[in-house]
Amino acid sequence: MYKLRGKLLLIQGTIDDVVVWQHSLNYLKAAVDKGRQLDYFVYPGHAHNIGGKDRVHLYNKSTQYFDEQLWRLLGLLISKHWTNPKH
């Protein structure tokens, strides 16, 4: 948590018996206390392995999140290069 930079997406099922709900809540509380922003998504009624039609939603959500963050990072790198090119 102390070295967290960039974006973080946490995903959890409400009946997950691997990632204990209280541990996630403790992490979220620590993030708030430290002023860190993160994204959190819950799948109601799912255990650790999100299945069924919601698995497609999970894959789409994860892919969209990574795409957005990678494009954002690429934009920052390009912007930095163009404003500070090394010649």
Side-chain angles (χ1 to χ4, degrees):
M1 170 73 66
Y2 296 103
K3 295 182 180 183
L4 177 63
R5 285 192 261 159
K7 303 288 276 182
L8 176 65
L9 173 63
L10 294 176
I11 297 174
Q12 182 172 17
T14 57
I15 57 173
D16 192 332
D17 59 350
V18 176
V19 180
V20 181
W21 187 263
Q22 189 60 47
H23 293 174
S24 295
L25 295 177
N26 291 343
Y27 191 84
L28 293 170
K29 174 79 169 94
V32 170
D33 290 348
K34 302 246 182 277
R36 303 284 200 263
Q37 295 293 324
L38 53 90
D39 297 298
Y40 186 61
F41 194 85
V42 176
Y43 284 95
H46 281 283
H48 190 71
N49 187 12
I50 309 299
K53 64 180 177 23
D54 290 345
R55 181 178 291 248
V56 174
H57 184 273
L58 168 67
Y59 287 160
N60 288 335
K61 179 160 221 35
S62 299
T63 300
Q64 177 185 356
Y65 194 82
F66 287 126
D67 283 349
E68 289 171 358
Q69 299 316 312
L70 290 173
W71 280 112
R72 184 184 65 81
L73 182 59
L74 181 60
L76 291 172
L77 290 172
I78 290 171
S79 174
K80 183 176 180 180
H81 172 75
W82 287 108
T83 58
N84 234 351
K86 294 178 182 177
H87 292 291

